[in-house]
Every structure is written in C-alpha cells, then in structure tokens.
Amino acid sequence: MPFRFGNEEIRKIPENIKLDLSLCANCNKLQKLFFLAKAILNPKTYVQAYKEKSINKNLFCLIEAQASILKNTSLLEKNLRGFFDDGLVVYTYWHNNITYAFQNLKNKYNFRLVSRIHGYDLYEERRQKKYIPLKRQYSENIDVVYALTDSAREYMVQQYKYEKSTIKISRLGVIDRGIVTLPNADNIIHIVSCSYIVEVKRLDKIIQAISSLTSNKEIVWTHIGTGNMYSQIFELAKNKLKNFELLGDLSNGDVFEFYKKSKIDIFINTSESEGVPFSIMEAMSCHIPVVAPDVGGVGDIVYNNFNGKLLSSECTIKEIANALVDINFFRQEKTRKNAYGTFLKKFNSEENYKNFIKDVLDGY
C-alpha cells in the first residue's frame, strides 16, 4: 500500500505491514481549546514551570506543550488501548510530545517504549528561546533512548539528568550508491555545500572565506538548497565571487546524480548547530572530503586531517579560508578513501538499521 508523507515521494509499504492513519487526524478547534484549558487549569503546569524556571518568558511555551501531551495521551489511549500488552514495542522517531504521551501511558500499560533523539529535539540552544519544555520531566519512564553520537549521550546526561544506562548509540546512515566523485586535476577548485539557506547555516562565511582566498586557480562554489535568506546570499555571492551557482532544491536522487556527474574537491558545512548532517554522510559516501565545524555530532564523522578539516565551533572566516587552501590534501586519494571508509564503517544505513532493529527486538 503506497502512502505519501508531506511533499515527499510516494513510498511503498511491504505487504506484511499494516498502516493505520487514524492518529493522523487533527483535532478540531473545540478539542484543542479543551486541552489547552486543561493545561492552563492544571496546578502541575505551574509547579513544572517553577522547576524549569520558565514561569516568566517560557510559560506559554510550556502550556502549549502540556496541552499537546494531554491531547496525544487521550488519542493514543483511545485508539491503541487494545494493543497494549506485554508483547508490544512502541518506537518513536522523535523524542517529543508524542513520546511523552506514551511515557504517560506506561504508568497504566505494560509495553516497551524506545525512541530516537536527533538534534532539534535534543539541543536547547537550537531553539529560538533556548528552551525545550518538559525534556527534564520526561527523562525517565522510557526503556531506551537511541542517541546518534557519544556527545549527544553526554549532553543528555549533563543537561537533562538522564540515566546513562537508558541511552544507547544508534547511528543513522545513508545508502551506498557506489558513486566515486573525482576531484579536479586542473586549475579549478570546486567547493560544494548543501543545506537550507537560513541564518543558522552561516553561508555568508563560506562566501567571505572563498572571496578572501588568493589563488591562481579558479574557485567555483555550488550550493544546493534554498530558504528565506536566498536573496541575501545570492546578492552577497554576486558581489564577492567570480564563479558560483545556487541550484535551489534538488531531490535526493538529483543530488546524487550531481555528485556522480561532477568533479568536486571539497564539501563544506559552516552551520552553527547540527545533529549529524545527512548532507555530510552523503558527500562522504561519494568519496568527497569535508570541511565542517565541531558542533553537535559533526566531530563524530569529520576527523581533522584524516577525512577532512574539523573547524572550531565558531569557524571564523580566516579559519575556513586556511582549511580550504590545503587543496592537495583534499585531492589525495588517501583522504578521499578515508572519507568513504568513515561512511562505510559508521554511517552505512543498511548495516546500521539492521543492527538497530535487532537491538530493539533483542531487548524485549
């Protein structure tokens, strides 16, 4: 049975899988108001606000989260009551309000609950208000949380007081498409980036760093992706760079087709915060070395002077420029093999997902 999620391509469901979309129906306005009122009138909301020191600027954010959890708890219990038994394994892809609702239901029903945690649902500094409501309250009553990196696990323990024994490392990954992207061998240096064009990605630093380079080679910058800062980045690049192209949004297949047909020396990321970016995994799966800052889980995939250049989290323009000038390093066969080898060892989806499923089922 095929189904569509958002604007993504239609995916096929195996014949032995049953898809139930009953939980996808949105509440009407009256129901939303009902749960919002329950959250506002619940004294526990304000006790929690005091504990989280969110009684002032983050109170409404907390109330919204409480209302969402109350709504989800009610819907899940109504629709899934008959499924809760000793043999049920519940897996949530994000550790968010849906997961918290399941954690509430574990007080009444006996089932195994496991969840993944990524970046946006983990790092408070990635949120506009530097705050994730209820993350500390829901650090217990869950069997396993699968983090993507060792640094993510340490963050959970330090920031939210999770028990380390409940956190396991299970990396994501991408498919090995057998693409070997070659470097340039002439007077062209081709640098590629792939991300949303938004403030947190700091694409202006890429432009400023490239424009500061003095080289007898032609430097070409290609960016894949778009976003609300497209116009500003386009104008800056037009004023600063001689040769660039903004390709806009490409499908995942088109991205790999671009890597297959192009000669690329360096993949660059200058983001202010990250989990472990798929864009970096994809580049390395095609033998492309990477320049990226040591934020989130980037240090778990980019090893300085091995498969790329690991910058500081600030990644100043001068620091980026200094990394980019070492073009012989990025073109070396050894460096490019190291990039692919890192992907193969740690971020090959076929192996990672088989191991993950085995671990979930063996744990029951």
Side-chain angles (χ1 to χ4, degrees), residues 244-260:
F244 75 96
E245 54 183 348
L246 304 183
L247 297 183
D249 277 334
L250 297 181
S251 69
N252 191 247
D254 286 341
V255 171
F256 281 104
E257 191 63 22
F258 174 77
Y259 290 160
K260 184 178 181 179

Side-chain angles (χ1 to χ4, degrees), residues 196-352:
Y196 289 116
I197 303 181
V198 292
E199 185 176 4
V200 72
K201 297 302 180 181
R202 302 191 292 199
L203 297 183
D204 58 304
K205 289 195 172 187
I206 298 176
I207 297 169
Q208 299 282 7
I210 293 174
S211 70
S212 72
L213 297 177
T214 54
S215 174
N216 58 358
K217 301 179 187 294
E218 179 184 359
I219 301 174
V220 180
W221 174 53
T222 301
H223 182 77
I224 302 167
T226 190
N228 60 21
M229 292 187 67
Y230 180 91
S231 297
Q232 296 96 305
I233 292 299
F234 177 82
E235 288 299 320
L236 182 64
K238 188 171 69 171
N239 292 329
K240 292 284 186 179
L241 304 179
K242 293 180 180 179
N243 200 331
F244 75 96
E245 54 183 348
L246 304 183
L247 297 183
D249 277 334
L250 297 181
S251 69
N252 191 247
D254 286 341
V255 171
F256 281 104
E257 191 63 22
F258 174 77
Y259 290 160
K260 184 178 181 179
K261 293 181 177 179
S262 304
K263 289 187 175 181
I264 301 171
D265 298 293
I266 303 167
F267 182 90
I268 187 168
N269 173 305
T270 51
S271 184
E272 186 177 350
S273 64
E274 287 287 2
V276 182
F278 278 95
S279 60
I280 291 181
M281 299 180 206
E282 290 170 348
M284 285 191 169
S285 77
C286 298
H287 299 245
I288 307 171
V290 174
V291 171
D294 190 8
V295 296
V298 172
D300 196 50
I301 183 170
V302 180
Y303 305 135
N304 195 41
N305 293 322
F306 178 76
N307 56 19
K309 298 284 186 178
L310 186 65
L311 310 174
S312 69
S313 58
E314 292 81 12
C315 69
T316 64
I317 293 168
K318 183 178 180 181
E319 187 181 8
I320 298 167
N322 286 340
L324 295 178
V325 296
D326 195 2
I327 190 61
N328 291 331
F329 165 77
F330 295 105
R331 289 180 174 175
Q332 285 176 10
E333 184 180 359
K334 181 179 179 181
T335 304
R336 301 179 83 86
K337 281 185 175 180
N338 288 343
Y340 177 70
T342 303
F343 150 75
L344 207 59
K345 181 179 179 180
K346 300 178 74 173
F347 300 100
N348 185 336
S349 62
E350 185 175 353
E351 292 300 318
N352 288 359

Side-chain angles (χ1 to χ4, degrees), residues 13-41:
I13 300 296
E15 292 181 0
N16 63 331
I17 300 295
K18 180 181 178 182
L19 178 65
D20 186 343
L21 297 175
S22 58
L23 293 173
C24 295
N26 290 323
C27 288
N28 59 43
K29 289 183 179 180
L30 188 61
Q31 289 172 315
K32 289 181 179 179
L33 286 172
F34 171 75
F35 289 112
L36 187 62
K38 284 191 71 173
I40 291 171
L41 296 174

Side-chain angles (χ1 to χ4, degrees), residues 86-186:
D86 291 346
L88 179 69
V89 178
V90 173
Y91 165 58
T92 61
Y93 190 69
W94 298 94
H95 191 254
N96 55 14
N97 293 342
I98 287 284
T99 310
Y100 301 163
F102 275 114
Q103 288 178 251
N104 286 341
L105 291 172
K106 275 182 68 70
N107 294 320
K108 296 176 63 175
Y109 302 99
N110 186 24
F111 60 92
R112 179 172 169 80
L113 176 61
V114 299
S115 182
R116 272 199 187 275
I117 196 164
H118 299 258
Y120 187 74
D121 54 342
L122 172 60
Y123 298 107
E124 286 192 307
E125 54 268 26
R126 293 187 65 172
R127 298 297 182 94
Q128 188 174 8
K129 295 185 178 181
K130 315 296 183 187
Y131 167 68
I132 301 178
L134 303 173
K135 183 65 74 179
R136 292 162 181 81
Q137 179 179 334
Y138 286 97
S139 62
E140 299 177 351
N141 207 26
I142 189 167
D143 294 284
V144 181
V145 180
Y146 288 93
L148 303 184
T149 64
D150 292 317
S151 61
R153 176 165 55 189
E154 292 303 318
Y155 184 95
M156 292 168 70
V157 172
Q158 297 297 323
Q159 188 82 349
Y160 303 122
K161 310 305 178 187
Y162 276 78
E163 288 293 330
K164 199 167 187 176
S165 59
T166 66
I167 308 169
K168 292 186 177 183
I169 305 301
S170 176
R171 295 180 174 87
L172 297 177
V174 296
I175 298 170
D176 188 352
R177 298 174 184 249
I179 297 172
V180 181
T181 304
L182 298 175
N184 286 280
D186 49 25

